[in-house]
Amino acid sequence: MLEVQQNTVVYPPNKALERKIELSTTPVVYDHLLFLDFNEKGESILGSSNLNGTLWEGTVLFFNNEENLQLLKYNRSLIGSTVSDGKFINDNTFALAEDTGLLNILSLSRENSKVESATYFRESDRIPKIAVWKNSPQVLSCSSKSVTVWDLNSTLRKPLHQFQDYHTELVNYVDTLRADPNIFVSASLDRKCCLWDTRNPNPASVLYNNEFCSITSVACNQHNSNYVVAGTEGGDIYLLDKREPKEFISVASCNCYIYRIVFDDSNKLAVCGDLNKVLVFKCEDEILNNAYCNDKHCGIVRGLAWYNETLYSCGFDKQVVKHLL
């Protein structure tokens, strides 16, 4: 009598049944668009992440003009971990912040139409926001309770400056005075907005301390370096003067968590938060005047960027909206 042997796979009772995790081979434009930025040529990058699936995957898309950006017709792409922020350093290089704590410096090869890694730096925790200076090889990042300045020319991959525990809670936003590589600002859940000057022995000073809620965003006025704007968890936007620290000179309300605020090269301030609206304020005569409101998005707005006095936004509805003010 013949015995039929069957090939069976036996798992030990204590072996974990791990599924194989692989990134997509074809770029996917996910519904959650988190940031966008322009270089001086009008080229742009757009970051999207899969925040609903079991594998948190991120895709960075490159567009060679504004029309392709609005149509989501990308020219190059990069697939990796979920992303939180991205900024052009120059026309051919941009910095990408990932939720893994990786700060990736990527170059746009003009020969083979690829996005290639030039170098990288690593934080100990997630990087929520980054910022850059004009014509500078330095990148500013925040992670956990620290604020860090990285030098792209460094071969050691160590920080140029790292300031730990100046804030007592999570630092969730940074911005630079782009014309001055020594000046930047930070915002934290400890309800403080700090002004930094790396030339000073004690580089940080408290510009504003909110009594009621966390500060979730901050922006330097690039047109007038005396002014800084801070947004809060409660939905208020405070206009601050560096010459009068710890007091605000004007306030406006948006009735939602303020996620991102961005100045153009004049006095216009774009604001977005946990609503489908994009707001623009004009900072005139030390007052924040509401100048524009748009609700074309179908989900909350997360990304804002100015190019040639035109505002672009993206959010959790898989669309890029152009705003003509």
Side-chain angles (χ1 to χ4, degrees):
M1 185 175 181
L2 296 177
E3 294 184 359
V4 179
Q5 295 183 349
Q6 295 180 347
N7 295 327
T8 59
V9 179
V10 179
Y11 289 96
N14 60 344
K15 180 178 175 61
L17 299 178
E18 298 179 356
R19 74 181 184 92
K20 190 175 182 181
I21 297 177
E22 294 181 349
L23 296 176
S24 301
T25 56
T26 303
V28 179
V29 184
Y30 293 105
D31 292 341
H32 301 93
L33 305 181
L34 294 163
F35 68 84
L36 71 161
D37 195 41
F38 287 88
N39 62 14
E40 294 185 357
K41 292 182 178 180
E43 299 167 331
S44 58
I45 52 174
L46 178 70
S48 72
S49 290
N50 177 20
L51 303 182
N52 291 333
T54 55
L55 172 61
W56 279 33
E57 178 182 85
T59 307
V60 180
L61 307 169
F62 171 81
F63 304 86
N64 59 8
N65 57 53
E66 301 169 62
E67 181 180 355
N68 285 345
L69 172 63
Q70 290 183 266
L71 297 174
L72 298 179
K73 292 184 177 180
Y74 57 89
N75 303 94
R76 311 183 196 191
S77 62
L78 181 70
I79 303 170
S81 177
T82 50
V83 294
S84 54
D85 204 7
K87 298 288 183 184
F88 272 105
I89 301 169
N90 54 50
D91 287 344
N92 298 317
T93 310
F94 65 92
L96 178 66
E98 299 183 2
D99 289 334
T100 59
L102 187 71
L103 178 62
N104 211 348
I105 310 301
L106 301 163
S107 64
L108 300 168
S109 175
R110 301 297 175 177
E111 298 178 355
N112 55 18
S113 297
K114 291 184 179 180
V115 179
E116 300 174 338
S117 179
T119 186
Y120 67 90
F121 305 96
R122 187 172 291 280
E123 288 273 20
S124 60
D125 206 340
R126 177 179 180 268
I127 304 174
K129 294 291 186 299
I130 58 175
V132 297
W133 288 270
K134 187 175 182 179
N135 300 323
S136 171
Q138 298 177 10
V139 178
L140 176 67
S141 69
C142 58
S143 179
S144 188
K145 300 177 185 178
S146 67
V147 179
T148 308
V149 180
W150 306 92
D151 185 357
L152 305 189
N153 295 327
S154 172
T155 58
L156 301 177
R157 295 198 176 103
K158 292 184 178 180
L160 179 64
H161 303 288
Q162 188 167 46
F163 307 103
Q164 295 179 326
D165 299 326
Y166 278 75
H167 285 284
T168 57
E169 296 291 343
L170 176 72
V171 182
N172 50 15
Y173 211 106
V174 288
D175 192 30
T176 63
L177 185 62
R178 291 195 293 269
D180 190 333
N182 301 296
I183 306 296
F184 60 90
V185 289
S186 61
S188 170
L189 298 184
D190 63 8
R191 309 196 312 274
K192 292 182 177 66
C193 171
C194 286
L195 174 66
W196 300 76
D197 188 338
T198 57
R199 295 167 295 190
N200 294 336
N202 296 316
S205 60
V206 177
L207 181 59
Y208 177 64
N209 187 6
N210 191 282
E211 297 180 7
F212 306 104
C213 55
S214 302
I215 299 180
T216 56
S217 54
V218 64
C220 293
N221 188 328
Q222 308 297 330
H223 180 70
N224 189 332
S225 61
N226 289 321
Y227 296 113
V228 173
V229 171
T232 68
E233 184 180 20
D236 294 321
I237 303 171
Y238 294 91
L239 178 61
L240 312 174
D241 191 333
K242 293 191 293 186
R243 298 164 295 185
E244 301 177 26
K246 301 185 180 179
E247 298 291 338
F248 64 88
I249 57 176
S250 181
V251 62
S253 181
C254 297
N255 299 318
C256 71
Y257 178 103
I258 307 298
Y259 181 80
R260 193 183 295 270
I261 52 179
V262 182
F263 270 107
D264 70 349
D265 291 330
S266 61
N267 284 321
K268 291 193 287 292
L269 175 74
V271 180
C272 71
D274 286 355
L275 287 176
N276 66 328
K277 294 181 180 180
V278 174
L279 302 175
V280 176
F281 294 87
K282 286 187 178 180
C283 300
E284 299 174 326
D285 300 324
E286 298 187 343
I287 298 176
L288 290 169
N289 293 312
N290 195 337
Y292 176 81
C293 179
N294 183 288
D295 60 357
K296 288 185 179 180
H297 282 282
C298 300
I300 61 176
V301 184
R302 282 295 178 257
L304 296 170
W306 294 93
Y307 180 70
N308 284 347
E309 299 184 357
T310 301
L311 177 65
Y312 292 82
S313 63
C314 66
F316 286 5
D317 57 355
K318 199 179 177 178
Q319 69 168 326
V320 176
V321 176
K322 181 178 181 179
H323 305 270
L324 298 175
L325 282 70

